[in-house]
Amino acid sequence: MVVDDHPMWRDAVARDLADAGFDVAATAGEGHEAVRRARAVRPRVLVLDLNLPGLPGVQVCREVVAADPGVRVLVLSASGEHADVLEAVKSGATGYLVKSAGREELLDAVRRTAAGDAVFTPGLAGLVLGEFRRLAAEPPSADTRAPAPPQLTPRETEVLRLVAKGLSYRQIADRLVLSHRTVQNHVQNTLGKLQLHNRVELVRYAIEQGLDGD
């Protein structure tokens, strides 16, 4: 599903995706409309602009992900401001591209987002990882009660450690001499055990557990 308030841009993105073999289930140009249509068609990937009339893109992201935690949101925005990137990720976005990205870069980003990768315009992934590390370093509040950690298998922990370092599923598969599908299965099992919804939340959890070190 493609959401953007500029009709020509929205139609061009939808057309490029359709020409590349994607099934574009719906489009929308306004925030409230986007939430309604996303709930109706339940897209696997939502390509979302942040600057929308009616309801801001970050709120659209928050409401769509709350209604369907399985959806993966790829923000496609004219803004590369750090504050916008971090707000989008904290709202549930799993990736962020600026609109200067080329057609092939966008198509590859949608494919990788559908496969479970967190895709960012170069330079932004480090920003997000840095923010997660900063949050993990903050002392917990006095009333925080940490639950017992879930029991992960050694292989799941190994995959989680590489996810925390920012490696893509393909890179993890190559590093561990596994198939791409096997890596995806380990990640999905880990998400289930940790009761998390997407790779971004998984990265944050891993950093909080100190799994991003050497």
Side-chain angles (χ1 to χ4, degrees):
M1 178 172 169
V2 179
V3 178
D4 196 291
D5 65 327
H6 290 91
M8 289 182 63
W9 179 270
R10 181 175 68 244
D11 292 346
V13 171
R15 183 171 59 252
D16 284 346
L17 290 170
D19 289 347
F22 293 97
D23 177 16
V24 180
T27 63
E30 188 270 344
H32 295 287
E33 174 190 37
V35 173
R36 289 194 300 270
R37 292 190 178 178
R39 288 176 176 173
V41 303
R42 298 176 66 87
R44 183 174 178 184
V45 175
L46 176 65
V47 179
L48 176 68
D49 187 21
L50 293 181
N51 187 20
L52 298 173
L55 195 67
V58 289
Q59 186 61 31
V60 171
C61 180
R62 191 174 292 116
E63 293 191 19
V64 169
V65 171
D68 180 11
V71 68
R72 294 168 178 138
V73 180
L74 175 64
V75 169
L76 183 61
S77 173
S79 171
E81 294 294 325
H82 291 180
D84 290 334
V85 178
L86 294 177
E87 187 176 12
V89 170
K90 291 175 182 177
S91 298
T94 52
Y96 196 109
L97 282 187
V98 294
K99 287 186 173 179
S100 58
R103 177 181 181 274
E104 291 305 317
E105 187 177 357
L106 171 62
L107 296 178
D108 180 64
V110 173
R111 291 188 189 99
R112 291 174 57 197
T113 299
D117 275 348
V119 183
F120 291 89
T121 290
L124 297 183
L127 166 72
V128 175
L129 288 172
E131 175 68 5
F132 285 167
R133 292 189 178 106
R134 184 190 68 78
L135 292 173
E138 291 182 352
S141 59
D143 60 351
T144 298
R145 299 292 184 270
Q151 294 299 310
L152 302 180
T153 68
R155 180 64 86 183
E156 288 168 349
T157 301
E158 193 173 18
V159 170
L160 181 57
R161 188 182 301 277
L162 295 176
V163 167
K165 292 181 178 180
L167 273 67
S168 70
Y169 290 170
R170 178 61 62 192
Q171 290 171 321
I172 294 172
D174 292 343
R175 177 80 64 90
L176 300 181
V177 195
L178 299 171
S179 70
H180 187 274
R181 174 61 63 185
T182 298
V183 172
Q184 285 184 304
N185 289 340
H186 283 310
V187 170
Q188 289 303 315
N189 290 340
T190 303
L191 287 171
K193 288 182 178 181
L194 300 177
Q195 298 184 8
L196 301 176
H197 299 130
N198 55 55
R199 180 180 171 131
V200 171
E201 292 182 1
L202 193 62
V203 170
R204 179 168 180 172
Y205 172 87
I207 290 173
E208 289 172 347
Q209 299 302 310
L211 296 176
D212 59 320
D214 293 331

